[in-house]
Amino acid sequence: MSDLHNKVFGKKNKRLIQSVKEADADIVVLTGDLISRGTSEFNKVYDFIEMIKQINQNVFYVTGNHEMTNDNLEEFINGLRDRGVVVLRNENRVVTIQHIDINLVGIDNESTNHEDMNGAFADVNQGNYTILLSHSPSVVNNYHSIKADLILSGHTHGGQVRFPFVGAIIGPDRSLFPVLDKGVFKITTEQFLYIDSGVGTTGYPVRFLNQSQISLIELKHEME
C-alpha cells in the first residue's frame, strides 16, 4: 500500500480496511507518503494503522518524500512505532513465512537523498530472497547493482491522470510522460520493480483512468 496522503476512504476507511482484510496477506508493507508534507494532525492515519494492526501484526513502513519534508516527521514516526509498525529507515529485517526466510530492506526516501543503501543492506544474507522497499522507483536508475530480487515502490500515483495508448501524463516532480509509472518492470532477468499507483492524491484531487489501488503480491517458492 502506498501514498495514502492522509485521505479517508468511506466512513473511517471502512472500504480500505475491508480490502486489506480480504487480501489475507502474510505481511503488509506501506511504501511511504501516508501523510502529506503539510499534515500536522495524524489521528486519521493513526486510526487507520490501528485497524490494520488488528488484521495483521506484520506491518512494515518506509518514508516517502512527503514525510521527509514534513516538519513533524519524528513525531509521526514515533507514533507509528508506538502502534507496533516496524519502521525501516535504512535498515533491514528477516521475516519468516511458511518456514522461508525473506529479507525486507527499507530505505528512507531516495528522491530527497535521504537513503543509505550501504547501511540498509548491511549484513543482509544474500542467500535469502530479498525485497527492497523504496518509496521512489527512481532508485533503479540511480543504483545499478541493487542486491534485491524485488523492489516495491509508490510515489508516482500511476501518473494520477492517464490516457489510453499513452499511459501516465504527469509523473513525480511534474515530469511529463514518465516511463516508470505503475505496474511491473523487469530490471534484470532475476530482478523486478513493482510500482503501486497508490491510494490518495496530491495537487488536484483527481484520478482519471487510474483507480486508487492496493496490491496483493504473491511470491511462489520453487523447490530445487
Side-chain angles (χ1 to χ4, degrees):
M1 187 183 308
S2 195
D3 297 273
L4 183 65
H5 285 290
N6 205 42
K7 300 292 194 300
V8 176
F9 291 82
K11 186 176 182 181
K12 295 184 178 180
N13 280 314
K14 183 177 180 180
R15 291 166 54 197
L16 189 53
I17 294 297
Q18 184 61 33
S19 295
V20 175
K21 185 180 295 185
E22 290 173 358
D24 191 27
D26 293 296
I27 66 173
V28 173
V29 297
L30 307 168
T31 52
D33 283 2
L34 284 179
I35 57 174
S36 293
R37 62 176 53 90
T39 305
S40 58
E41 200 280 324
F42 307 129
N43 284 340
K44 287 191 292 187
V45 172
Y46 288 160
D47 288 346
F48 170 70
I49 290 296
E50 289 168 2
M51 288 187 285
I52 292 292
K53 286 287 293 182
Q54 290 177 13
I55 299 170
N56 194 317
Q57 288 299 303
N58 299 312
V59 180
F60 298 84
Y61 160 85
V62 293
T63 58
N65 56 303
H66 278 258
E67 282 99 350
M68 295 308 301
T69 52
N70 188 292
D71 291 339
N72 300 299
L73 170 64
E74 296 304 325
E75 176 191 344
F76 178 65
I77 294 294
N78 289 336
L80 293 180
R81 287 181 171 136
D82 289 344
R83 288 161 175 82
V85 175
V86 179
V87 180
L88 297 176
R89 303 195 65 184
N90 300 315
E91 54 193 311
N92 61 78
R93 294 286 188 279
V94 176
V95 180
T96 302
I97 300 173
Q98 297 181 18
H99 309 293
I100 298 173
D101 290 339
I102 295 175
N103 301 323
L104 274 185
V105 181
I107 56 172
D108 271 340
N109 181 60
E110 179 267 339
S111 68
T112 51
N113 302 313
H114 288 91
E115 80 283 5
D116 176 1
M117 296 292 279
N118 290 333
F121 280 89
D123 301 320
V124 164
N125 181 354
Q126 292 297 323
N128 298 337
Y129 191 88
T130 300
I131 301 173
L132 172 64
L133 306 181
S134 169
H135 176 68
S136 174
S138 62
V139 69
V140 301
N141 295 327
N142 296 324
Y143 293 88
H144 300 292
S145 59
I146 299 173
K147 296 179 180 179
D149 301 285
L150 175 64
I151 301 159
L152 300 180
S153 295
H155 187 48
T156 67
H157 299 187
Q160 202 159 301
V161 173
R162 301 177 65 87
F163 287 160
F165 310 109
V166 176
I169 304 301
I170 300 176
D173 307 314
R174 298 184 180 180
S175 60
L176 295 176
F177 307 108
V179 175
L180 298 177
D181 51 1
K182 66 182 291 186
V184 178
F185 296 84
K186 188 175 183 179
I187 307 303
T188 70
T189 56
E190 296 184 348
Q191 184 182 68
F192 294 86
L193 165 69
Y194 178 75
I195 308 173
D196 188 276
S197 65
V199 183
T201 58
T202 55
Y204 294 106
V206 174
R207 282 178 177 262
F208 183 73
L209 297 180
N210 183 27
Q211 185 175 350
S212 296
Q213 70 169 180
I214 64 174
S215 300
L216 176 63
I217 297 172
E218 296 183 353
L219 302 178
K220 294 184 178 180
H221 176 62
E222 294 184 357
M223 301 299 292
E224 296 181 358

